[in-house]
Structure formats: C-alpha cells, structure tokens
C-alpha cells in the first residue's frame, strides 16, 4: 500500500506558484523602510519608531487608510527611493513564490509633491528589470489615476507617461471610490485605450455594484480590481461568469478596511465556486498585515477550501494577466506540475 503524505495546507500555500495582479507599490512601503528613507531625505515623520507607525494602522474604512497611505508616500523622493521600495517588494515575491506581478503605481501622489514622473519610473523599472534578470520574476506596470483628482490631472499624467509607454501595460483607477464614479474618467480612459494601453479599475470595493457595471461599459476595462460587491447584482454576477471578467480580490485589505467584518464572511470562495474568475492579492501589504502567502493563509484558515481551489486562484490570475501567451503557458505548467507533485505525496 502506498501512503500519500500531503503537506499541511500552509506548506502547500507557501510553495504554490503565485501571480499577483493587485499590488500598489506605495502600499508595500514597510515602516522600517519609511524610517530609513525619512532619515536619508531629512523628512520629518510624526512617529518615533516603526512600531509606533504600525500601531497607527487601525482603519475604519478606505478613506481612513488612504489618508495615512498618502502621508507615508511623502518619504519617497529620489530614484534610489523608488528602486529600494520596489526591490524590497520583489524580494518578498521571491520568498512567497510569486513568479509574475502586475504592479500599480500612483504617479500623481508624487508629481503633486514636485517629484518628477521620470524619477518615479526610473527607480521602479530599474528594480523590475533587475528582478527579471536575477530572480526570474516577470512583471508589468499599471499606471493608476487618482479618482479624487480631476480629469485634467489624469490627462496631464497620461501625457507625462508618453516617453515611458513601452514600460506601462495598462492604466488603472484607484483612491476614494465613493463620490468619484467611473463616468468621471470616460474620456481619459478612451484616450488611453486609443493609445494602446489596456485598462483596469478599482470598483465595487466600497462603492456599489453599479460602479463595476459602469467600469466595464464606460471605461471598457479588461479586469476589475476588488469587485466583491458584485454579489449585490445577480445579473452582473452572471455577466462576470459568462464573460470571465477577472476580479483581483484582496482578502486582508477587505477585512482591514471593513468591507467584510470577519474573514469567514468573505465571499471569495463562494464566487470561485459560482464560476467567477477571482484571484488572491495583497493590495497594500505593508498596511494590511501581509503579502501573498499571508492572504492565501488568511482565506484558507477562515474558510474551508481545497488545494485544487487554491491552485485555481493562481490559474485564474495567470489567465487574466497581461503577460505573453508563452509566459502564461509556462506559469500554468508550473502550477499544474506543483499540484501533481503534491498529490503524489512529493
Ligand atoms: N490605493 C491603494 N490601495 C487602495 C485601495 N484598496 N482602494 C483604492 N485605492 C487604493
Ligand atoms: Zn487596490
């Protein structure tokens, strides 16, 4: 008789190949690095220690987080700062077995403070190129417009991106969802798509399901970021399933920002079982208590889920990613081989 020993779930998760499609690079700024950069740049921060910074991360909703997140980003000034920030995240990818990452950045958070667009791009892309060569991690960049700012500012940002277009795969939409609906950005998304960018948007995180519908219909997005409030509109859920619109779900973010009070109430596994293409992502890991493995573990601890279902989160993310067909094939094969090997007791 052969005894098949399957690894404990946390070990299965740790070694499962992963793809991250929803990560704000500014949200990966750990308090320790925040302090180091504040010292390096002579910028005062209203905390004495990294531990005191962490203790302040107690959020009641999205806006209470955003206020602190934009404040934290003020320590980022030079190309070296953006490089250090991005490299630190990529090292975490290596630890967590993330093989491909599609990374958001918020240029307006920096250009509004007088930091040049080129400085931001030079630092981030330096780290991404190095990670591909040295760590084998592939990546794409998604430039987000801040929805609390106006259309003119988004258009100005699109112009600034011209020289870097070959390094940016898509435009996105983030920041305060309530009060800033997709329709505000119809024209800038149309122009971006005209220029060849793909498109994504945060929708149905704190805002209503209609923001998801409007992002699809008005902004013509290729994926929805968050999207968990889709369940309030059964017709929309049916559409997401039939069109296989991917939702980049962020479980720890959703509980930290009180979209769901407890992880066991989260709808990600239910959506997966209904046939919606959902994946697991970290959003702003330095603020929400964890990176990719932490998010997978948080779901698997709170909600009974099989290894096949955990692997399906990665397959969904691969299928919805913006990488080449060849890379997608490689990534699917990695996951299939891993699941086969663990099922065989390896
Ligand atoms: N910017 C960074 N994280 C965000 C989130 N979860 N929602 C909207 N905007 C964001
Ligand atoms: Zn986000």
């Amino acid at each position: 008789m052969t005894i098949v020993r399957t690894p404990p779930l946390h070990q299965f998760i740790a070694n499962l190949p992963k793809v991250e499609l929803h990560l704000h690079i500014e949200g990966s700024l750990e308090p320790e690095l925040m302090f180091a950069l504040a010292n390096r740049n002579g910028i005062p921060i209203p905390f004495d220690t990294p531990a005191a910074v962490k203790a302040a991360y107690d959020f009641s909703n999205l806006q209470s987080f955003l206020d602190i997140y934009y404040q934290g980003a003020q320590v980022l000034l030079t190309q070296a700062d953006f490089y250090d920030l991005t490299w630190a995240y990529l090292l975490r990818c290596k630890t967590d077995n993330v093989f491909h990452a599609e990374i958001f950045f918020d240029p307006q958070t920096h250009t509004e403070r007088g930091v040049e667009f080129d400085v931001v791009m030079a630092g981030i892309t330096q780290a991404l190129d190095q990670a591909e060569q040295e760590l084998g991690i592939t990546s794409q960049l998604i430039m987000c417009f801040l929805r609390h700012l106006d259309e003119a500012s988004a258009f100005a940002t699109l112009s600034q991106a011209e020289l870097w277009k070959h390094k940016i795969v898509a435009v996105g939409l983030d920041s305060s969802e309530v009060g800033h609906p997709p329709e505000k950005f119809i024209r800038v998304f149309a122009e971006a798509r005209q220029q060849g960018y793909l498109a994504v948007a945060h929708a149905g995180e704190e805002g209503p399901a209609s923001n998801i519908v409007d992002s699809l219909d008005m902004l013509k997005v290729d994926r929805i970021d968050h999207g968990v409030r889709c369940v309030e509109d059964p017709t929309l859920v049916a559409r997401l399933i039939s069109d296989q619109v991917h939702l980049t779900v962020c479980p720890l973010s959703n509980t930290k920002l009180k979209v769901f009070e407890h992880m066991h109430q989260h709808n990600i596994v239910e959506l997966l079982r209904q046939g919606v293409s959902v994946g697991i992502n970290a959003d702003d890991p330095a603020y929400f208590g964890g990176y990719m493995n932490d998010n997978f573990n948080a779901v698997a601890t709170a909600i009974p889920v099989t290894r096949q279902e955990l692997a399906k989160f990665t397959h969904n993310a691969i299928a919805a990613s913006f990488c080449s067909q060849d890379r997608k094939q490689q990534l699917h094969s990695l996951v299939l081989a891993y699941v086969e090997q663990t099922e065989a007791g390896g």
Side-chain angles (χ1 to χ4, degrees), residues 258-277:
K258 316 285 189 229
V259 174
F260 298 93
E261 199 56 39
H262 299 288
M263 192 60 82
H264 66 83
Q265 297 163 331
H266 203 292
N267 59 16
I268 186 169
V269 176
E270 188 186 317
L271 287 169
L272 182 82
R273 288 178 186 157
Q274 285 175 27
V276 180
S277 173

Side-chain angles (χ1 to χ4, degrees), residues 24 62 65-66 69 174-175 202 205 226 253 283-284:
H24 301 262
L62 175 59
F65 153 70
L66 289 171
Y69 162 84
D174 65 1
S175 192
H202 284 53
E205 177 188 18
H226 293 292
S253 163
D283 205 5
D284 302 284

Side-chain angles (χ1 to χ4, degrees), residues 62-67 69-70 106 145-149 173-182 184-185 202 205-207 211:
L62 175 59
Q63 194 59 50
S64 66
F65 153 70
L66 289 171
D67 293 343
Y69 162 84
Y70 293 130
D106 288 342
F145 303 121
L146 298 180
R147 65 201 309 158
H148 67 270
L149 300 180
L173 188 62
D174 65 1
S175 192
S176 323
E177 186 182 358
V178 173
H180 302 284
K184 193 173 155 185
F185 297 96
H202 284 53
E205 177 188 18
E206 264 197 355
N211 277 356

Side-chain angles (χ1 to χ4, degrees), residues 29 33-35 37-38 41 43-45 71-78 81 113:
L29 178 60
L33 184 57
M34 192 189 292
F35 263 76
L37 299 185
N41 294 326
I43 295 174
I45 43 176
Q71 190 183 37
Q74 290 183 16
V75 302
L76 298 161
L77 286 188
T78 66
D81 299 341
R113 300 179 288 120

